[in-house]
Amino acid sequence: MRTQYCGHLNKALAGQTVELCGWVNRRRDLGGLIFIDMRDREGIVQVVVDPDMKDIFEVANQLRNEFCIKITGEVRLRPDSQINKGMATGEVEVLARGVEIINRAAPLPLDFNQNNSEEQRLKHRYLDLRRPEMSDRIKLRAKASSFVRRFLDDNGFLDIETPVLTKATPEGARDYLVPSRVHKGSFYALPQSPQLFKQLLMMSGFDRYYQIVKCFRDEDLRADRQPEFTQIDIETSFMNAEQVREVTERMVRDMWQELLNVDLGAFPQMTFAEAMRRFGSDKPDLRNPLEMVDVADLLKDVEFKVFSGPANDPKGRVAVIRVPGGAELSRKQIDDYTKFVGIYGAKGLAWVKVNDRAAGMEGIQSPVAKFLTEDVVNGILERTGAESGDIILFGADSKKVVTEAMGALRLKLGTDLGLTDTSKWAPLWVVDFPMFEEDDEGNLHAMHHPFTSPLNVSPEELKANPESVNSNAYDMVLNGYEVGGGSVRIHNPEMQTAVFDLLGIEAEEQKVKFGFLLEALKYGTPPHAGLAFGLDRLVMLLCGTENIRDVIAFPKTTAAACLLTDAPSLANPAALEELGIEVAVSLKLPEPKSVQPGEIPDIKVGAVTSREKKENNA
């Protein structure tokens, strides 16, 4: 039906007759001439309808925003005085020779010239996606996916699909379950990632695998998280961690170069311990210059127990952040930041304003100054590099509270005070994560997943001192977002069994849940490693937005609901009966926007509900 896209017209086509299909972006009637801004996925072009062509003019006079139309006309150059430099097609226009209304549009539920609520946009997503801003994001996502496939194909990786209906694996979130009609009372789990299958592919001899794959996690949502998300899944055999990082870093650098014409440069590398110590996060935003500085050793002997208590506690921490120019903060602003750190469990936020660095104690202002000696103050000023006009903010509590609270405060200060340089790109590799983390009951949990290889230890050494062992894992961070994570995998059954034992997974449970993996490990398993990227987050960063819903065609809300289709919805009772399922909740489903994150109904399977079954398995 069309010969050209609207957005592709230029002065090289002047004098040619073209056929265009698209939508009315705007219609203007100026002194008898009708001007139509016509839009398709590639852009907008101006169409002119002359009143001398009465039949065409009469049709054009009926047009309203979002009418679907076809235009036949001649491309002509605009006069120099009328060139629109703000449009890609601004040097030309189309003189209409034919106007056809393909479909009329009812009054629109969205205002394309105003900011609509996100609820409105998601409810009428098919209209929202017509907006050039949204269209450009979806096109850039397509280009990113295409680039990934070309890069990995060119580097010897094979695109291999893995099952969607599978078995639950411990990935750290609830599974989405699919009941089996054939095996009543049994459930498939939608994959949280293809972790075990990609390892099995390595055991099968496919030494370079990739897949752009849907993954599913039933977890509390936020701006950069969805219940179903797209993962660029990569696995290799006979490559070590450094080699995996090299090829995946090159992929991301080349992607940014091709799609944005941005050179990210070589990615620096930082250990997990250093990232947590300096920035309070394992995904630090290095565009923010603020850092946390430990000062516990300087405060062990002060009379102020708020400082000396954590300073002398092996599980405590005292850290400060120097804020350049922060002495100008008002008391109300400081009080607001005090409330903010309280969200993370901090009991307060002590501060010292440096009004005159050269004046020593006379040059500082602080409600805790009376508890600090001149040597202590000078030591803190020296260590932080404080200058006149700065403020020093203190966190003193358990290591966990101080690290989380001050890390979050660092980010907020960077945004509020304009310290974070949003014009920059800041990539980073974070490496040497702890193998395990301990919960409040003293139980060990895998920091990544239980198939991650420990770093440079034997099974016996791992069992002897598991808390001190690091894993051979690595995360790629960009502008404060974890965009990809991976590890070297365990490739021998003794080490895998040792990890399962430390995680409290008994031998029988190991056999039931992972028997196929343990069996496969017996037969010449190669060393292997991999990494998975979140495609949604990568595209979010490429597009310069802060919400992954902006780069997904049909996303869910933070309540895991689809406002467009009203999913989730009630199941047909006949289908439930065929599956052997009885729903043990009210048959009236709440409105999608009121569904609480993470909540699922209890589903009876015989005498045991799905929730009870999950708790028993845990």
Side-chain angles (χ1 to χ4, degrees):
M1 293 179 67
R2 61 158 62 100
T3 60
Q4 299 283 344
Y5 280 109
C6 296
H8 289 172
L9 299 186
N10 55 53
K11 61 183 182 181
L13 297 171
Q16 294 189 22
T17 297
V18 295
E19 294 180 341
L20 309 174
C21 294
W23 289 267
V24 176
N25 194 67
R26 186 171 59 147
R27 173 188 167 278
R28 293 163 290 150
D29 192 338
L30 301 177
L33 287 176
I34 291 178
F35 292 88
I36 303 163
D37 287 346
M38 185 177 180
R39 185 192 71 245
D40 59 24
R41 77 172 207 190
E42 295 301 318
I44 297 176
V45 70
Q46 177 173 282
V47 177
V48 182
V49 184
D50 194 308
D52 291 340
M53 306 184 70
K54 293 183 179 179
D55 292 344
I56 297 175
F57 193 84
E58 185 177 328
V59 175
N61 204 34
Q62 303 174 41
L63 299 181
R64 297 294 181 269
N65 286 4
E66 297 309 307
F67 273 35
C68 184
I69 61 173
K70 178 179 179 180
I71 297 288
T72 302
E74 178 189 339
V75 180
R76 66 183 189 182
L77 298 176
R78 291 198 198 187
D80 290 344
S81 62
Q82 296 178 20
I83 290 175
N84 186 344
K85 295 181 180 179
M87 290 175 61
T89 60
E91 293 183 305
V92 298
E93 61 187 11
V94 176
L95 178 62
R97 305 294 189 195
V99 178
E100 177 186 346
I101 298 176
I102 297 174
N103 233 326
R104 297 172 182 268
L108 298 173
L110 295 183
D111 184 346
F112 278 40
N113 298 314
Q114 300 291 333
N115 290 323
N116 300 283
S117 70
E118 187 172 40
E119 184 174 353
Q120 289 174 302
R121 291 175 54 210
L122 294 180
K123 178 69 175 175
H124 304 282
R125 190 63 162 184
Y126 44 87
L127 293 178
D128 187 44
L129 289 174
R130 290 185 191 174
R131 294 190 300 121
E133 180 182 26
M134 290 301 300
S135 177
D136 288 345
R137 289 168 179 168
I138 298 303
K139 288 191 293 182
L140 185 55
R141 181 187 179 108
K143 290 178 181 178
S145 296
S146 176
F147 173 86
V148 167
R149 293 187 189 281
R150 282 187 282 111
F151 179 91
L152 293 174
D153 288 343
D154 290 346
N155 281 271
F157 288 83
L158 300 176
D159 183 357
I160 306 176
E161 296 178 350
T162 54
V164 173
L165 296 176
T166 183
K167 193 171 185 176
T169 58
E171 300 286 346
R174 295 184 184 92
D175 292 304
Y176 279 102
L177 301 178
V178 179
S180 169
R181 178 186 60 81
V182 177
H183 305 282
K184 285 186 172 60
S186 295
F187 293 81
Y188 300 102
L190 299 182
Q192 295 188 35
S193 86
Q195 181 61 47
L196 295 181
F197 286 107
K198 62 187 177 186
Q199 290 191 245
L200 292 171
L201 285 169
M202 296 303 102
M203 300 171 193
S204 304
F206 300 101
D207 62 332
R208 292 194 176 197
Y209 140 94
Y210 83 94
Q211 186 182 185
I212 298 180
V213 60
K214 281 288 188 183
C215 300
F216 307 85
R217 295 184 183 180
D218 185 5
E219 57 187 350
D220 293 346
L221 306 183
R222 59 189 183 211
D224 65 338
R225 184 182 286 169
Q226 282 276 293
E228 54 179 311
F229 57 95
T230 305
Q231 189 165 288
I232 305 169
D233 207 45
I234 300 170
E235 195 77 10
T236 68
S237 296
F238 307 111
M239 287 178 68
N240 58 31
E242 291 75 17
Q243 292 168 321
V244 171
R245 290 198 292 268
E246 186 279 327
V247 72
T248 53
E249 176 180 324
R250 183 157 45 88
M251 183 182 80
V252 172
R253 289 177 61 184
D254 289 357
M255 183 190 299
W256 251 249
Q257 188 69 61
E258 179 171 314
L259 301 182
L260 297 184
N261 195 26
V262 169
D263 183 2
L264 293 176
F267 292 13
Q269 189 169 298
M270 182 182 298
T271 66
F272 171 86
E274 181 183 357
M276 298 302 289
R277 175 176 57 81
R278 293 173 58 191
F279 307 109
S281 171
D282 60 358
K283 49 181 184 296
D285 187 348
L286 299 186
R287 299 173 302 167
N288 182 336
L290 301 180
E291 292 194 23
M292 298 163 59
V293 177
D294 286 300
V295 294
D297 59 310
L298 301 175
L299 296 166
K300 287 185 176 182
D301 298 325
V302 300
E303 295 181 4
F304 193 40
K305 296 297 184 184
V306 171
F307 287 167
S308 61
N312 288 283
D313 184 348
K315 295 185 178 181
R317 184 179 185 189
V318 185
V320 299
I321 295 176
R322 176 181 74 89
V323 184
E328 295 182 358
L329 291 175
S330 67
R331 186 58 187 264
K332 182 183 183 305
Q333 288 175 298
I334 295 173
D335 288 344
D336 288 342
Y337 287 127
T338 302
K339 292 176 183 176
F340 176 77
V341 295
I343 297 171
Y344 299 88
K347 302 178 183 67
L349 184 67
W351 52 272
V352 170
K353 287 187 176 182
V354 186
N355 297 322
D356 185 354
R357 175 72 170 86
M361 291 294 290
E362 297 299 319
I364 70 166
Q365 173 190 351
S366 172
V368 299
K370 60 185 177 182
F371 300 110
L372 306 177
T373 67
E374 186 166 1
D375 286 344
V376 168
V377 170
N378 286 333
I380 293 172
L381 297 180
E382 184 69 27
R383 187 170 297 181
T384 59
E387 299 176 356
S388 298
D390 295 348
I391 191 172
I392 297 173
L393 303 173
F394 289 74
D397 210 304
S398 68
K399 288 180 181 177
K400 182 176 186 297
V401 168
V402 170
T403 300
E404 291 183 358
M406 298 299 280
L409 178 62
R410 169 184 174 269
L411 294 177
K412 184 168 178 58
L413 288 165
T415 299
D416 291 352
L417 305 181
L419 299 172
T420 300
D421 187 351
T422 56
S423 67
K424 292 172 54 179
W425 292 97
L428 174 71
W429 283 109
V430 178
V431 300
D432 294 351
F433 288 80
M435 183 73 182
F436 302 105
E437 50 190 350
E438 194 174 289
D439 62 20
D440 294 337
E441 286 75 42
N443 299 315
L444 294 180
H445 298 275
M447 179 164 275
H448 278 73
H449 54 66
F451 316 108
T452 300
S453 178
L455 187 62
N456 300 328
V457 295
S458 66
E460 293 73 26
E461 291 169 327
L462 176 67
K463 288 183 176 180
N465 197 8
E467 295 89 348
S468 67
V469 175
N470 286 332
S471 64
N472 202 350
Y474 34 85
D475 282 355
M476 183 187 290
V477 177
L478 186 56
N479 291 3
Y481 289 95
E482 177 200 331
V483 295
S487 67
V488 173
R489 322 303 188 186
I490 296 171
H491 68 277
N492 69 75
E494 293 78 20
M495 182 64 80
Q496 188 64 76
T497 300
V499 171
F500 284 155
D501 289 343
L502 287 167
L503 294 174
I505 303 175
E506 302 293 338
E508 186 59 31
E509 188 179 358
Q510 293 178 28
K511 183 177 179 181
V512 171
K513 288 186 174 181
F514 310 110
F516 63 94
L517 177 68
L518 294 172
E519 178 72 12
L521 286 171
K522 297 177 182 177
Y523 303 110
T525 298
H528 54 288
L531 187 145
F533 289 99
L535 177 63
D536 309 301
R537 286 185 189 173
L538 283 173
V539 177
M540 180 184 77
L541 289 166
L542 285 167
C543 290
T545 181
E546 295 182 348
N547 191 325
I548 61 171
R549 291 193 290 276
D550 289 339
V551 299
I552 298 173
F554 300 103
K556 304 291 191 296
T557 68
T558 53
C562 176
L563 299 181
L564 175 64
T565 63
D566 286 335
S569 60
L570 296 173
N572 186 311
L576 292 176
E577 183 177 0
E578 191 173 22
L579 292 167
I581 292 175
E582 177 185 348
V583 179
V585 293
S586 168
L587 291 179
K588 184 178 180 181
L589 190 71
E591 292 296 321
K593 61 183 179 181
S594 66
V595 175
Q596 295 302 308
E599 285 195 352
I600 56 173
D602 286 340
I603 301 176
K604 288 187 177 179
V605 181
V608 182
T609 68
S610 62
R611 194 181 303 277
E612 291 167 339
K613 188 172 183 180
K614 188 171 184 68
E615 290 172 353
N616 291 339
N617 288 341

